[in-house]
Amino acid sequence: MKLYFSPGACSLAPHIALLEAGLDFTTEKVDIRARQTASGADFLAINPKGYVPALELKDGAVLTEGPAIVQFIADLVPDRQLAPANGTLERYRLVEWLNFISTELHKSFSPLFRPTSTEDMKEAARTHLGNRFGWLASQLEGRDYLMGSQFTVADAYLFTVLGWAGFVHFDLSPWPVFAAYTQRVAARPAVQQALRDEGLLK
């Protein structure tokens, strides 16, 4: 398998998931603005949506969208318990978390990264994120990970998104639980490896 990624982008989540799963894979860096891969390929020919992540499977099929990719990875190695078993309520809880991170956190960061955003747009995004982070902090109290004591692919995604706060000067200090959570996830060997592979950790 091959993961197309951009350093620190949401593709970091499946990168972490692949390493946690112990699967064989390669990576190829993508210049999102130029829509070109490190080997010079047209990324739009690989993923016409034009953004990462994209996971090329052994048979040449390409899977896109982070929440779908991380569940696919988890289901390849059920013994690693990166996702609860299909058909259980806990699995739908995982889907619930992935949807929350994707729609309420991930997308809410977009105006803070976009050069064309007005200050009003950025302020609205900060307010929305603050509300969502306040609720999320209450859910993490007393838990090691989103689903309890077991690390799942949802944690790979949340860790990635929380990491963006520093880049856009969004202050997470009102919720100390995030610092402890981030440190806990960052200490995992697979996370350390993914960060090194993407040039985010020396």
Side-chain angles (χ1 to χ4, degrees), residues 42-123:
D42 176 8
F43 185 58
L44 289 175
I46 298 162
N47 179 14
K49 297 172 185 174
Y51 52 77
V52 293
L55 184 67
E56 186 177 302
L57 309 183
K58 293 178 182 178
D59 64 0
V62 175
L63 186 63
T64 64
E65 303 300 332
I69 293 172
V70 295
Q71 289 182 83
F72 174 80
I73 293 165
D75 287 338
L76 290 176
V77 285
D79 57 304
R80 296 289 178 112
Q81 297 183 307
L82 293 172
N86 275 306
T88 63
L89 178 60
E90 284 302 290
R91 180 53 173 259
Y92 295 108
R93 291 294 185 202
L94 176 78
V95 174
E96 188 177 25
W97 276 121
L98 290 170
N99 276 278
F100 173 79
I101 297 165
S102 180
T103 61
E104 298 300 314
L105 301 181
H106 181 163
K107 285 302 178 186
S108 296
F109 266 101
S110 296
L112 302 180
F113 281 106
R114 198 177 296 124
T116 55
S117 295
T118 65
E119 279 307 310
D120 285 347
M121 291 166 67
K122 290 181 179 180
E123 189 54 40

